[in-house]
Amino acid sequence: MGQGMARDLEVRHCRALVAVHDGGGVGAAARALGVAQSTVSETLLSLERLLGVPVTLRRAGREAMLTPAAEALLPHARSLIAASEAVMSAGARHGRASVRLGTVESISSFLLPDPLGAFRRQWPGIDVRITIGLCEDLRRRVERSELDAALTIEGANQGAPGLLSPVGLRLIVAPGHPLAGRIMTGDDLAARTLLLSDSEGSFNDLLRSWAARADGQAAFESAGSVEGVKRGVLNADAIGVLPDYAVAEDLAAGSLVALRFDQPLPAIALRLTTLAIPVTGSPLESLAARIRDALIPADD
């Protein structure tokens, strides 16, 4: 039985096939599906192994195109996608469905409560399951169909599909910190500790690259959470680094102070990743719309 199931055609195969045909190539398909180009390529190779015939023709200097055998599969692939979406919608209408959303701790704590509240009022029978993790791991779990969507923090200049809106970064300190109230330079980073919420991940890599370009020799430490960063800077002379949405209330209350720097901080943005474009009217499409509505206007 296990071997037979391993040879079943999967909906992901069909989505990749249709996206390549409709988009005119693997790159366009990846952008439409909101996944990495390598994911689409691997899915097509998996389909070729399953069928035993080539699925794409690779042309030097040009996008890959579907083979005649693959073109013949398109009507069946579209039918299977439609059937899958019908099953999901039927389950949602009877209150048996769930939406699995992965995100980072700061987004879950400070940005998601309002759109999640609105979504739950619209879909009271849908179970929203939130998973907290690192950005790269969450995106990989979407690609493996372990999550339906992931809301992560990215470098704003990566050109990745699904980017929603830019988000500001803040360097924060206690009100009595010696750097508070003046403009920092790269030299001020020397021998300083930058306190982050996570011990690894793309956010850390982005900050380390930025610090290196700023000519600072700062050390990096993890506080384990957003609240840990805030407590850390209040109890030591460390400099916390957090998205502005996570410290807005603290800055307004004066319990924390934002440092000014003579160089721009790294540009970051929020990214919503899904394995495929959510079907219109589905719970996932509704949740994605709620998130976009809540987040994009805030940065306009």
Side-chain angles (χ1 to χ4, degrees), residues 158-207:
Q158 292 181 353
L163 287 183
L164 296 179
S165 63
V167 173
L169 272 180
R170 295 283 191 170
L171 301 179
I172 57 169
V173 294
H177 194 281
L179 292 177
R182 71 181 186 84
I183 299 177
M184 289 179 59
T185 67
D187 292 338
D188 291 317
L189 291 179
R192 294 286 179 182
T193 297
L194 294 182
L195 201 56
L196 308 177
S197 58
D198 294 318
S199 60
E200 57 184 328
S202 57
F203 185 73
N204 292 45
D205 296 339
L206 194 66
L207 264 296

Side-chain angles (χ1 to χ4, degrees), residues 26-102:
V26 173
R31 290 189 293 274
L33 295 173
V35 299
Q37 188 167 328
S38 59
T39 300
V40 177
S41 297
E42 175 53 36
T43 302
L44 294 174
L45 288 174
S46 172
L47 180 58
E48 289 187 348
R49 291 192 293 268
L50 178 66
L51 298 175
V53 296
V55 171
T56 59
L57 296 174
R58 294 163 181 82
R59 303 173 294 175
R62 302 174 64 186
E63 281 275 13
M65 62 179 294
L66 296 183
T67 62
E71 293 272 357
L73 294 176
L74 284 171
H76 307 289
R78 295 186 192 277
S79 295
L80 185 55
I81 293 171
S84 173
E85 293 174 348
V87 169
M88 293 299 294
S89 295
R93 286 194 297 271
H94 289 83
R96 296 191 297 269
S98 65
V99 174
R100 303 162 301 169
L101 176 64

Side-chain angles (χ1 to χ4, degrees), residues 84-170:
S84 173
E85 293 174 348
V87 169
M88 293 299 294
S89 295
R93 286 194 297 271
H94 289 83
R96 296 191 297 269
S98 65
V99 174
R100 303 162 301 169
L101 176 64
T103 190
V104 296
E105 184 235 354
S106 67
I107 294 176
S108 175
S109 298
F110 295 94
L111 293 182
L112 279 183
D114 286 346
L116 278 182
F119 172 82
R120 285 176 172 133
R121 288 190 294 272
Q122 180 184 4
W123 297 85
I126 302 299
D127 180 19
V128 182
R129 303 174 184 176
I130 303 296
T131 297
I132 304 298
L134 297 175
C135 296
E136 296 94 332
D137 180 59
L138 294 172
R139 291 193 300 272
R140 285 194 293 267
R141 293 189 65 181
V142 171
E143 293 175 1
R144 296 195 299 265
S145 297
E146 297 171 2
L147 294 171
D148 298 307
L151 187 58
T152 55
I153 298 175
E154 309 288 339
N157 298 322
Q158 292 181 353
L163 287 183
L164 296 179
S165 63
V167 173
L169 272 180
R170 295 283 191 170

